[in-house]
Amino acid sequence: MNWTWFHKWGSPKWFYEMSGAWLRALAWAAAVLLLLGTVWGLAIAPQDYQQGNSFRIIYIHVPAAFLAQSCYLMLAVAGVIGLVWKMKLADVALQCAAPIGASMTFIALLTGAVWGKPTWGTWWVWDARLTSMLILLFLYFGVIALSQAISNRDSAAKACAVLSIVGVINLPIIKYSVEWWNTLHQPATFKITEKPAMPMEMWLPLLVMVLGFYCFFAAVLLMRMRLEVLKRESRTRWVRAEVEGRA
Amino acid sequence: MNPIRKKRLMLILLALAGVGVAVGMALLALQQNINLFYTPTQIANGEAPLDTRIRAGGLVEEGSVQRDKDSLEVAFKVGDGSKSVVIRYAGILPDLFREGQGIVALGKVNEAGELVADEVLAKHDENYMPPEVAQALKDSGQFQHYQGGDAKETAQ
């Protein structure tokens, strides 16, 4: 098997040169998709027969919850790559993604609470889905705190990678919590592999929002990673040339 | 892949499998505690503890809601297809409360086997649809088919 495409990622310089163009494309895609999805979801999609307009919070809640989990999976994959292949960029990705994932988890919990008050009659209930999502938020906080607490960069990278990998156990628990136990939270409405539990005119704007959130996440992650790479490699010749060339 | 990397990868996968098994067994042992509510069948079979606050969940049975004329007191039956339990509650019910709706009530079971609730939450199912579609489904008698998902979920 040819591994050259993979080993290229070991070079921060190669990453910095390539990611500029990706960043531009992703930022545009995110702006267009989020704008389209917001207008479509909030203004054009029909009301729900039971919840009326309050169901529209799904257009933020579901994409944020998707991202919160995908981002954690990404942390774990980056953790494995960092531990096994000792790639510097893996730790950069892990450190830069953790705060974004934490914000997404927070948004999912907050929008869920705002929706839960009128629909269920309570802001919060300790059911399996809500609790496992809260644990995910604490796992993100753990990764962030751990990287700040250890001053040696290599030890911090190792500790964060291990925590990310162990925490990945929580992801199937979040996903299947609504099926394994009696919960107040309903099963998934937005499905890709099966027929979704909502009509097309509600589902399509949600799909657009989900894709928009992914592009937004990727764009913000690349932005943060490029800055972090410049900081970490600040003593190398190519970074000096890059910074001085701009100045 | 060179042997050192392969070994490290194996070690990580092994550790992950170990943690997975440990968490899985812990969750299995806590099965009853993680369930948010007891079903009416469980309460009728005496699986739910007496004299402690428990949650009961199920569908509000059609035609069972009795409201008191002078106060906010309300009594209704919650069932899961086989058994049902009477729930008494005084307070404001959530907007989604209606006959046929899934609900979760928190309270104590009294001597008569009724649950005296001090909190009633509505459970929403995963089905979203525009009002016109819901009306059309009701007219054609297909609506129960859609509600079936929630009934199954609640009756587990």
Side-chain angles (χ1 to χ4, degrees), chain A residues 17-61:
Chain A
E17 282 163 1
M18 296 307 286
S19 57
W22 303 341
L23 176 60
R24 227 163 300 133
L26 283 166
W28 273 110
V32 170
L33 287 171
L34 287 180
L35 198 70
L36 175 71
T38 309
V39 172
W40 196 352
L42 296 191
I44 301 170
Q47 295 191 4
D48 180 64
Y49 75 110
Q50 260 189 332
Q51 309 166 58
N53 278 322
S54 74
F55 100 93
R56 295 185 199 277
I57 208 158
I58 200 176
Y59 294 111
I60 305 289
H61 179 74

Short mmCIF file of all heavy atoms in Angstrom, two decimals, chain A residues 17-61:
data_model
loop_
_atom_site.label_atom_id
_atom_site.label_comp_id
_atom_site.label_asym_id
_atom_site.label_seq_id
_atom_site.Cartn_x
_atom_site.Cartn_y
_atom_site.Cartn_z
N GLU A 17 0.87 25.25 3.45
CA GLU A 17 0.77 25.71 2.06
C GLU A 17 -0.53 25.26 1.42
O GLU A 17 -1.16 26.00 0.67
CB GLU A 17 1.96 25.17 1.25
CG GLU A 17 3.22 25.98 1.50
CD GLU A 17 4.47 25.24 1.04
OE1 GLU A 17 4.33 24.11 0.52
OE2 GLU A 17 5.56 25.78 1.25
N MET A 18 -0.95 24.02 1.72
CA MET A 18 -2.14 23.47 1.08
C MET A 18 -3.43 24.02 1.69
O MET A 18 -4.43 24.22 1.00
CB MET A 18 -2.17 21.94 1.23
CG MET A 18 -1.04 21.22 0.53
SD MET A 18 -0.90 21.67 -1.19
CE MET A 18 -2.31 20.80 -1.86
N SER A 19 -3.43 24.25 3.02
CA SER A 19 -4.69 24.52 3.70
C SER A 19 -5.28 25.89 3.37
O SER A 19 -6.46 26.11 3.57
CB SER A 19 -4.51 24.37 5.22
OG SER A 19 -3.49 25.24 5.66
N GLY A 20 -4.45 26.82 2.86
CA GLY A 20 -4.97 28.14 2.52
C GLY A 20 -6.13 28.06 1.53
O GLY A 20 -7.18 28.67 1.72
N ALA A 21 -5.92 27.27 0.48
CA ALA A 21 -6.95 27.15 -0.56
C ALA A 21 -8.17 26.41 -0.02
O ALA A 21 -9.31 26.80 -0.29
CB ALA A 21 -6.38 26.42 -1.77
N TRP A 22 -7.94 25.34 0.78
CA TRP A 22 -9.07 24.59 1.35
C TRP A 22 -9.90 25.51 2.23
O TRP A 22 -11.12 25.46 2.22
CB TRP A 22 -8.58 23.44 2.22
CG TRP A 22 -7.68 22.45 1.57
CD1 TRP A 22 -7.54 22.25 0.22
CD2 TRP A 22 -6.78 21.54 2.21
NE1 TRP A 22 -6.62 21.27 -0.01
CE2 TRP A 22 -6.14 20.81 1.18
CE3 TRP A 22 -6.47 21.27 3.53
CZ2 TRP A 22 -5.19 19.83 1.46
CZ3 TRP A 22 -5.54 20.28 3.81
CH2 TRP A 22 -4.91 19.58 2.78
N LEU A 23 -9.20 26.33 3.01
CA LEU A 23 -9.89 27.21 3.95
C LEU A 23 -10.84 28.14 3.22
O LEU A 23 -12.00 28.30 3.61
CB LEU A 23 -8.85 28.02 4.75
CG LEU A 23 -9.42 29.06 5.72
CD1 LEU A 23 -10.28 28.39 6.75
CD2 LEU A 23 -8.28 29.81 6.40
N ARG A 24 -10.35 28.71 2.11
CA ARG A 24 -11.19 29.64 1.36
C ARG A 24 -12.44 28.93 0.84
O ARG A 24 -13.56 29.42 1.00
CB ARG A 24 -10.39 30.23 0.19
CG ARG A 24 -10.54 31.74 0.09
CD ARG A 24 -9.45 32.32 -0.78
NE ARG A 24 -8.12 32.05 -0.24
CZ ARG A 24 -7.08 31.60 -0.97
NH1 ARG A 24 -7.22 31.36 -2.25
NH2 ARG A 24 -5.91 31.39 -0.41
N ALA A 25 -12.25 27.74 0.25
CA ALA A 25 -13.39 27.00 -0.31
C ALA A 25 -14.40 26.64 0.79
O ALA A 25 -15.60 26.83 0.63
CB ALA A 25 -12.89 25.73 -1.00
N LEU A 26 -13.88 26.16 1.92
CA LEU A 26 -14.77 25.73 3.01
C LEU A 26 -15.52 26.91 3.61
O LEU A 26 -16.70 26.80 3.93
CB LEU A 26 -13.96 25.02 4.10
CG LEU A 26 -13.55 23.58 3.77
CD1 LEU A 26 -12.49 23.11 4.74
CD2 LEU A 26 -14.76 22.67 3.80
N ALA A 27 -14.85 28.04 3.76
CA ALA A 27 -15.50 29.21 4.35
C ALA A 27 -16.65 29.67 3.46
O ALA A 27 -17.74 29.99 3.94
CB ALA A 27 -14.48 30.33 4.54
N TRP A 28 -16.42 29.66 2.14
CA TRP A 28 -17.50 30.04 1.22
C TRP A 28 -18.65 29.07 1.30
O TRP A 28 -19.82 29.46 1.38
CB TRP A 28 -16.97 30.13 -0.22
CG TRP A 28 -16.40 31.48 -0.53
CD1 TRP A 28 -15.09 31.78 -0.73
CD2 TRP A 28 -17.12 32.72 -0.62
NE1 TRP A 28 -14.95 33.13 -0.94
CE2 TRP A 28 -16.17 33.73 -0.89
CE3 TRP A 28 -18.47 33.07 -0.51
CZ2 TRP A 28 -16.53 35.07 -1.04
CZ3 TRP A 28 -18.83 34.41 -0.66
CH2 TRP A 28 -17.86 35.38 -0.92
N ALA A 29 -18.32 27.77 1.26
CA ALA A 29 -19.37 26.75 1.32
C ALA A 29 -20.18 26.91 2.61
O ALA A 29 -21.42 26.85 2.59
CB ALA A 29 -18.74 25.36 1.26
N ALA A 30 -19.49 27.13 3.74
CA ALA A 30 -20.18 27.27 5.02
C ALA A 30 -21.12 28.48 4.99
O ALA A 30 -22.28 28.39 5.39
CB ALA A 30 -19.16 27.41 6.15
N ALA A 31 -20.63 29.62 4.48
CA ALA A 31 -21.44 30.83 4.46
C ALA A 31 -22.71 30.61 3.62
O ALA A 31 -23.82 30.93 4.06
CB ALA A 31 -20.63 32.00 3.90
N VAL A 32 -22.53 30.03 2.43
CA VAL A 32 -23.67 29.84 1.53
C VAL A 32 -24.67 28.85 2.14
O VAL A 32 -25.87 29.12 2.22
CB VAL A 32 -23.18 29.34 0.15
CG1 VAL A 32 -24.36 28.91 -0.70
CG2 VAL A 32 -22.38 30.42 -0.55
N LEU A 33 -24.15 27.71 2.63
CA LEU A 33 -25.05 26.66 3.15
C LEU A 33 -25.79 27.14 4.41
O LEU A 33 -26.99 26.91 4.55
CB LEU A 33 -24.25 25.39 3.48
CG LEU A 33 -23.77 24.57 2.28
CD1 LEU A 33 -22.82 23.49 2.73
CD2 LEU A 33 -24.96 23.96 1.56
N LEU A 34 -25.07 27.82 5.31
CA LEU A 34 -25.71 28.26 6.56
C LEU A 34 -26.78 29.31 6.28
O LEU A 34 -27.86 29.28 6.86
CB LEU A 34 -24.68 28.81 7.54
CG LEU A 34 -23.78 27.75 8.21
CD1 LEU A 34 -22.80 28.41 9.15
CD2 LEU A 34 -24.62 26.73 8.95
N LEU A 35 -26.48 30.22 5.35
CA LEU A 35 -27.46 31.26 5.00
C LEU A 35 -28.71 30.62 4.38
O LEU A 35 -29.84 30.89 4.80
CB LEU A 35 -26.81 32.25 4.03
CG LEU A 35 -27.53 33.58 3.92
CD1 LEU A 35 -27.36 34.37 5.20
CD2 LEU A 35 -27.02 34.37 2.72
N LEU A 36 -28.46 29.73 3.41
CA LEU A 36 -29.56 29.05 2.72
C LEU A 36 -30.39 28.23 3.73
O LEU A 36 -31.61 28.32 3.77
CB LEU A 36 -28.98 28.12 1.64
CG LEU A 36 -29.99 27.24 0.89
CD1 LEU A 36 -30.84 28.09 -0.02
CD2 LEU A 36 -29.28 26.17 0.09
N GLY A 37 -29.69 27.47 4.57
CA GLY A 37 -30.37 26.61 5.53
C GLY A 37 -31.17 27.41 6.54
O GLY A 37 -32.29 27.02 6.91
N THR A 38 -30.63 28.53 7.01
CA THR A 38 -31.33 29.35 8.01
C THR A 38 -32.62 29.92 7.43
O THR A 38 -33.69 29.82 8.04
CB THR A 38 -30.41 30.49 8.49
OG1 THR A 38 -29.17 29.93 8.87
CG2 THR A 38 -31.02 31.22 9.66
N VAL A 39 -32.51 30.52 6.24
CA VAL A 39 -33.70 31.12 5.63
C VAL A 39 -34.74 30.05 5.33
O VAL A 39 -35.92 30.19 5.66
CB VAL A 39 -33.31 31.90 4.35
CG1 VAL A 39 -34.56 32.36 3.62
CG2 VAL A 39 -32.41 33.06 4.70
N TRP A 40 -34.27 28.95 4.74
CA TRP A 40 -35.16 27.85 4.37
C TRP A 40 -35.83 27.25 5.61
O TRP A 40 -37.04 27.07 5.67
CB TRP A 40 -34.35 26.79 3.62
CG TRP A 40 -35.16 25.79 2.86
CD1 TRP A 40 -36.51 25.64 2.87
CD2 TRP A 40 -34.64 24.80 1.96
NE1 TRP A 40 -36.88 24.61 2.05
CE2 TRP A 40 -35.75 24.08 1.48
CE3 TRP A 40 -33.37 24.43 1.52
CZ2 TRP A 40 -35.62 23.02 0.57
CZ3 TRP A 40 -33.24 23.38 0.64
CH2 TRP A 40 -34.35 22.69 0.16
N GLY A 41 -35.02 26.99 6.63
CA GLY A 41 -35.54 26.33 7.82
C GLY A 41 -36.44 27.23 8.65
O GLY A 41 -37.47 26.80 9.15
N LEU A 42 -36.05 28.49 8.80
CA LEU A 42 -36.80 29.37 9.70
C LEU A 42 -38.00 30.01 9.04
O LEU A 42 -39.00 30.32 9.69
CB LEU A 42 -35.89 30.45 10.28
CG LEU A 42 -34.75 29.97 11.18
CD1 LEU A 42 -34.11 31.14 11.89
CD2 LEU A 42 -35.25 28.96 12.21
N ALA A 43 -37.91 30.25 7.72
CA ALA A 43 -38.98 31.01 7.08
C ALA A 43 -39.84 30.17 6.14
O ALA A 43 -41.04 30.39 6.04
CB ALA A 43 -38.38 32.18 6.31
N ILE A 44 -39.24 29.22 5.43
CA ILE A 44 -39.97 28.56 4.36
C ILE A 44 -40.56 27.22 4.79
O ILE A 44 -41.68 26.88 4.44
CB ILE A 44 -39.06 28.39 3.12
CG1 ILE A 44 -38.57 29.77 2.66
CG2 ILE A 44 -39.80 27.68 1.99
CD1 ILE A 44 -37.50 29.74 1.62
N ALA A 45 -39.82 26.44 5.58
CA ALA A 45 -40.30 25.11 5.98
C ALA A 45 -41.61 25.26 6.76
O ALA A 45 -41.81 26.23 7.47
CB ALA A 45 -39.25 24.42 6.85
N PRO A 46 -42.53 24.27 6.60
CA PRO A 46 -43.83 24.37 7.29
C PRO A 46 -43.69 24.15 8.80
O PRO A 46 -42.70 23.61 9.26
CB PRO A 46 -44.65 23.25 6.66
CG PRO A 46 -43.64 22.26 6.19
CD PRO A 46 -42.44 23.05 5.79
N GLN A 47 -44.71 24.58 9.56
CA GLN A 47 -44.75 24.35 11.01
C GLN A 47 -44.97 22.88 11.31
O GLN A 47 -45.38 22.12 10.45
CB GLN A 47 -45.95 25.07 11.62
CG GLN A 47 -45.92 26.55 11.54
CD GLN A 47 -47.03 27.13 12.41
OE1 GLN A 47 -47.74 26.42 13.10
NE2 GLN A 47 -47.15 28.43 12.38
N ASP A 48 -44.71 22.51 12.55
CA ASP A 48 -45.02 21.15 12.99
C ASP A 48 -46.46 21.12 13.50
O ASP A 48 -46.95 22.10 14.05
CB ASP A 48 -44.06 20.71 14.09
CG ASP A 48 -44.36 19.29 14.56
OD1 ASP A 48 -44.21 18.38 13.73
OD2 ASP A 48 -44.74 19.12 15.72
N TYR A 49 -47.14 19.97 13.33
CA TYR A 49 -48.57 19.90 13.71
C TYR A 49 -48.77 20.01 15.21
O TYR A 49 -49.82 20.45 15.67
CB TYR A 49 -49.21 18.62 13.17
CG TYR A 49 -48.83 17.36 13.91
CD1 TYR A 49 -49.75 16.69 14.70
CD2 TYR A 49 -47.56 16.84 13.81
CE1 TYR A 49 -49.40 15.53 15.37
CE2 TYR A 49 -47.20 15.68 14.47
CZ TYR A 49 -48.12 15.04 15.25
OH TYR A 49 -47.77 13.90 15.93
N GLN A 50 -47.76 19.60 16.02
CA GLN A 50 -47.93 19.62 17.47
C GLN A 50 -47.20 20.78 18.12
O GLN A 50 -47.70 21.42 19.03
CB GLN A 50 -47.39 18.32 18.07
CG GLN A 50 -48.46 17.32 18.36
CD GLN A 50 -47.92 16.16 19.16
OE1 GLN A 50 -46.75 15.82 19.06
NE2 GLN A 50 -48.76 15.55 19.94
N GLN A 51 -45.96 21.03 17.67
CA GLN A 51 -45.12 22.00 18.36
C GLN A 51 -45.20 23.40 17.77
O GLN A 51 -44.63 24.32 18.32
CB GLN A 51 -43.65 21.57 18.30
CG GLN A 51 -43.41 20.17 18.73
CD GLN A 51 -42.03 19.72 18.31
OE1 GLN A 51 -41.03 20.31 18.68
NE2 GLN A 51 -41.98 18.68 17.51
N GLY A 52 -45.85 23.54 16.60
CA GLY A 52 -45.90 24.85 15.98
C GLY A 52 -44.51 25.27 15.54
O GLY A 52 -43.75 24.48 15.01
N ASN A 53 -44.19 26.55 15.81
CA ASN A 53 -42.91 27.09 15.34
C ASN A 53 -41.73 26.69 16.21
O ASN A 53 -40.59 26.81 15.78
CB ASN A 53 -42.98 28.61 15.27
CG ASN A 53 -43.64 29.06 13.98
OD1 ASN A 53 -43.43 28.45 12.93
ND2 ASN A 53 -44.46 30.10 14.06
N SER A 54 -42.01 26.23 17.43
CA SER A 54 -40.88 25.95 18.32
C SER A 54 -40.04 24.77 17.84
O SER A 54 -38.92 24.59 18.28
CB SER A 54 -41.36 25.70 19.75
OG SER A 54 -41.95 24.43 19.85
N PHE A 55 -40.57 24.00 16.88
CA PHE A 55 -39.79 22.87 16.38
C PHE A 55 -38.57 23.35 15.60
O PHE A 55 -37.61 22.62 15.43
CB PHE A 55 -40.67 21.97 15.50
CG PHE A 55 -40.50 22.17 14.03
CD1 PHE A 55 -39.59 21.39 13.32
CD2 PHE A 55 -41.19 23.17 13.35
CE1 PHE A 55 -39.41 21.57 11.96
CE2 PHE A 55 -41.02 23.36 12.01
CZ PHE A 55 -40.11 22.56 11.30
N ARG A 56 -38.60 24.62 15.14
CA ARG A 56 -37.53 25.11 14.26
C ARG A 56 -36.16 25.13 14.92
O ARG A 56 -35.15 25.26 14.26
CB ARG A 56 -37.87 26.51 13.74
CG ARG A 56 -39.09 26.51 12.85
CD ARG A 56 -39.35 27.86 12.25
NE ARG A 56 -40.72 27.95 11.77
CZ ARG A 56 -41.12 27.50 10.58
NH1 ARG A 56 -40.24 26.96 9.78
NH2 ARG A 56 -42.38 27.60 10.22
N ILE A 57 -36.15 25.01 16.24
CA ILE A 57 -34.86 24.97 16.94
C ILE A 57 -34.07 23.73 16.53
O ILE A 57 -32.85 23.68 16.70
CB ILE A 57 -35.09 25.02 18.47
CG1 ILE A 57 -33.90 25.67 19.16
CG2 ILE A 57 -35.36 23.65 19.04
CD1 ILE A 57 -34.22 26.23 20.51
N ILE A 58 -34.76 22.75 15.92
CA ILE A 58 -34.08 21.55 15.43
C ILE A 58 -32.99 21.92 14.42
O ILE A 58 -31.98 21.23 14.31
CB ILE A 58 -35.12 20.59 14.78
CG1 ILE A 58 -34.57 19.17 14.71
CG2 ILE A 58 -35.52 21.04 13.41
CD1 ILE A 58 -35.56 18.16 14.17
N TYR A 59 -33.18 23.03 13.71
CA TYR A 59 -32.20 23.41 12.68
C TYR A 59 -30.87 23.88 13.27
O TYR A 59 -29.89 24.01 12.55
CB TYR A 59 -32.79 24.48 11.74
CG TYR A 59 -33.95 23.92 10.94
CD1 TYR A 59 -35.25 24.34 11.16
CD2 TYR A 59 -33.73 22.93 10.00
CE1 TYR A 59 -36.31 23.79 10.47
CE2 TYR A 59 -34.77 22.37 9.29
CZ TYR A 59 -36.06 22.81 9.53
OH TYR A 59 -37.11 22.25 8.84
N ILE A 60 -30.84 24.17 14.55
CA ILE A 60 -29.58 24.43 15.24
C ILE A 60 -29.19 23.22 16.09
O ILE A 60 -28.04 22.80 16.11
CB ILE A 60 -29.70 25.67 16.17
CG1 ILE A 60 -30.18 26.88 15.41
CG2 ILE A 60 -28.38 25.95 16.87
CD1 ILE A 60 -29.18 27.46 14.46
N HIS A 61 -30.18 22.68 16.79
CA HIS A 61 -29.92 21.63 17.79
C HIS A 61 -29.29 20.38 17.18
O HIS A 61 -28.26 19.90 17.65
CB HIS A 61 -31.24 21.29 18.48
CG HIS A 61 -31.14 20.21 19.50
ND1 HIS A 61 -30.56 20.41 20.73
CD2 HIS A 61 -31.52 18.91 19.47
CE1 HIS A 61 -30.60 19.27 21.41
NE2 HIS A 61 -31.17 18.36 20.68
#
